Amino acid sequence: MAHCILSQVPVGVPISCDSSFRRSVLKTHNVTLHDKSWTSGIPFNLKSANTRLRSRFVVCMSVQQASKPKVAVSPVTLEDAKEPPLHLYKNKEPYTATIVSVESLVGPKAPGETCHIVIDHGRNVPYWEGQSYGIIPPGENPKKPGSPQNVRLYSIASSRYGDNFDGKTASLCVRRAVYYDPETGKEDPSKNGVCSNFLCDSKPGDKIQLTGPSGKIMLLPEDDPNATHIMIATGTGVAPYRGYLRRMFMEDVPKFKFGGLAWLFLGVANSDSLLYDDEFSKYLQDYPDNFRYDRALSREHRNKSGGKMYVQDKIEEYSDEIFKLLDGGAHIYFCGLKGMMPGIQDTLKRVAEERGESWEQKLTQLKKNKQWHVEVY
Ligand code: FAD
């Protein structure tokens, strides 16, 4: 436990997310280690953990990870490349991959459906954490008759080893794009999103056309294994962070022994909409010195002005710590819907001004130092 700054600031873990514990996500990939299961049936009392965490540290710049059993991964040659794989399969010659599983990630009270989709690429389309795949849905492009549909990008939600730890699969976290007629309020299936519905409706064994991998902005910088990573997500924007966190806390990766701090802010509508909450809660239990997890449930939590709690309200709540961490070299990531950025930028600007700092200058510096990573869609 090196260089640990003690403080009494609460970590802000909401205690009412029982429904997400009932949902047993990813049942198909149970890995048992020393009588511990990484997936369903987490032996963890969140209420008591919350009480315990409230009196613990907050800012740890460089702590060693407690020694917890981790899952062996293969092939470790996936660590060897100096550069990330890029555009191995292009739009004109996509790779035909196979759906392994499709599971709903959300509970009945979530507005809209989000699915976890595991895809077998047979080790032919390797990728690094934070990259995206392209999917070409079947059918004709309505705007260009005779041509295939346009490719849609999806952030990869697994580590390079995939959910089975064997480097053969990649997982996506896909929200169904549904169209509601603004006048009647009724769903109009003819205008529903093509690719997201194709993916969420697909069945094990179905073939899909894959391109990529693509993207360098959201790659996890690994030069300093003790770095701080502040990850801000709305909804499916959590996908790349799931990959990072599996690499940091679940997998026994020979060349990356994470001993820094990963801090996830996740904004969703309500507790039924939480994504991968059981995995993240397990990290909180096992690595409280290396992981922090703050949830903003807009329809259940209130911000300090009594309004809906959005992810920027959580950022504001912890702005002093976040600014100190950024000054100390922390990386900050934003991923999710485009609409999340204006509110967050306004909050960061206001906080900077309150601290007597120029946000414009700070942002320029963060970008120059490669600490600022944004992928919104
Ligand atoms: P489309 O068919 O492309 O339709 C787009 C929208 O238009 C839909 O909302 C649809 O309902 C609406 N629409 C269709 N017809 C009409 C009409 N006639 N009138 C009005 N509206 C209409 N998405 C995820 O879910 N998860 C991710 O991890 C993810 N990662 C991404 C990463 C990147 C880098 C980018 C760029 C995007 C990412 N996306 C992600 C978004 C994804 O690429 C798609 O844009 C999304 O799934 C919608 O595609 P679709 O084919 O389902 O909808």
Side-chain angles (χ1 to χ4, degrees):
M1 295 277 287
H3 322 302
C4 207
I5 303 165
L6 291 171
S7 134
Q8 296 295 317
V9 181
V11 292
V13 179
I15 55 174
S16 58
C17 53
D18 296 348
S19 60
S20 59
F21 275 87
R22 280 197 300 273
R23 290 195 303 277
S24 166
V25 177
L26 316 180
K27 286 187 213 105
T28 48
H29 309 302
N30 270 349
V31 172
T32 307
L33 264 178
H34 303 264
D35 298 317
K36 287 175 123 192
S37 164
W38 270 110
T39 53
S40 54
I42 295 168
F44 174 44
N45 180 332
L46 192 61
K47 282 190 186 176
S48 64
N50 191 42
T51 314
R52 183 169 53 84
L53 286 167
R54 277 176 192 280
S55 60
R56 288 190 67 91
F57 88 101
V58 167
V59 181
C60 275
M61 300 296 289
S62 172
V63 292
Q64 297 300 305
Q65 267 191 6
S67 176
K68 299 277 175 200
K70 289 187 172 179
V71 183
V73 289
S74 70
V76 289
T77 47
L78 288 178
E79 302 295 320
D80 292 349
K82 295 273 177 291
E83 292 293 323
L86 275 176
H87 310 299
L88 302 176
Y89 288 88
K90 307 212 167 62
N91 298 5
K92 289 206 169 131
E93 275 182 274
Y95 179 79
T96 302
T98 309
I99 297 285
V100 175
S101 61
V102 179
E103 294 181 58
S104 182
L105 284 169
V106 296
K109 291 188 188 141
E113 189 177 24
T114 302
C115 296
H116 183 76
I117 299 166
V118 181
I119 297 165
D120 185 346
H121 61 83
R123 292 192 183 144
N124 294 307
V125 200
Y127 56 90
W128 283 6
E129 299 72 20
Q131 290 192 297
S132 301
Y133 269 169
I135 305 287
I136 304 174
E140 213 178 54
N141 185 338
K143 289 187 185 151
K144 277 194 220 157
S147 302
Q149 285 275 7
N150 286 338
V151 70
R152 270 77 162 179
L153 294 179
Y154 293 92
S155 308
I156 299 172
S158 48
S159 80
R160 67 191 72 185
Y161 297 100
D163 288 359
N164 291 337
F165 311 103
D166 59 5
K168 287 184 185 159
T169 67
S171 304
L172 305 181
C173 175
V174 178
R175 182 180 167 90
R176 277 183 196 273
V178 179
Y179 183 84
Y180 293 96
D181 188 301
E183 277 172 22
T184 62
K186 287 201 180 128
E187 191 180 326
D188 179 349
S190 70
K191 295 179 181 171
N192 281 353
V194 172
C195 194
S196 56
N197 285 282
F198 160 69
L199 286 170
C200 291
D201 288 336
S202 59
K203 302 275 173 293
D206 285 355
K207 301 294 177 196
I208 58 164
Q209 302 302 308
L210 201 79
T211 69
S214 63
K216 280 180 150 187
I217 300 167
M218 296 293 285
L219 290 173
L220 182 66
E222 296 189 356
D223 42 330
D224 177 6
N226 295 322
T228 296
H229 304 272
I230 303 168
M231 302 166 282
I232 323 274
T234 55
T236 55
V238 77
Y241 310 142
R242 179 178 182 261
Y244 300 171
L245 294 169
R246 286 173 78 91
R247 186 161 172 84
M248 289 168 175
F249 300 122
M250 193 186 279
E251 298 173 346
D252 185 12
V253 181
K255 288 189 185 167
F256 183 59
K257 305 287 177 201
F258 183 67
L261 174 68
W263 189 355
L264 172 63
F265 290 88
L266 174 58
V268 290
N270 55 23
S271 39
D272 263 19
S273 315
L274 281 165
L275 303 170
Y276 309 111
D277 192 60
D278 46 3
E279 259 179 49
F280 301 150
S281 299
K282 179 96 169 78
Y283 303 144
L284 207 50
Q285 178 197 25
D286 286 349
Y287 300 100
D289 292 350
N290 301 90
F291 184 53
R292 292 179 65 177
Y293 177 31
D294 282 281
R295 288 159 270 208
L297 308 182
S298 59
R299 300 190 189 178
E300 288 177 18
H301 297 162
R302 296 275 140 214
N303 65 20
K304 65 175 189 200
S305 318
K308 287 183 173 181
M309 172 71 88
Y310 292 112
V311 84
Q312 61 265 31
D313 299 310
K314 278 279 163 202
I315 293 175
E316 186 163 15
E317 196 177 326
Y318 295 107
S319 54
D320 270 342
E321 286 176 79
I322 292 174
F323 272 63
K324 275 184 207 147
L325 290 167
L326 290 175
D327 289 345
H331 290 273
I332 189 159
Y333 309 81
F334 302 87
C335 191
L337 292 180
K338 265 196 193 92
M340 72 190 271
M341 284 315 283
I344 291 175
Q345 295 256 32
D346 289 350
T347 301
L348 291 171
K349 189 169 160 54
R350 193 175 57 249
V351 170
E353 278 161 10
E354 281 163 13
R355 294 166 61 90
E357 295 178 49
S358 151
W359 175 243
E360 285 71 26
Q361 273 176 21
K362 201 170 188 72
L363 181 58
T364 307
Q365 199 57 46
L366 290 171
K367 287 181 179 169
K368 202 170 150 204
N369 296 348
K370 297 191 165 57
Q371 290 171 258
W372 183 261
H373 312 258
V374 181
E375 187 158 271
V376 289
Y377 41 85

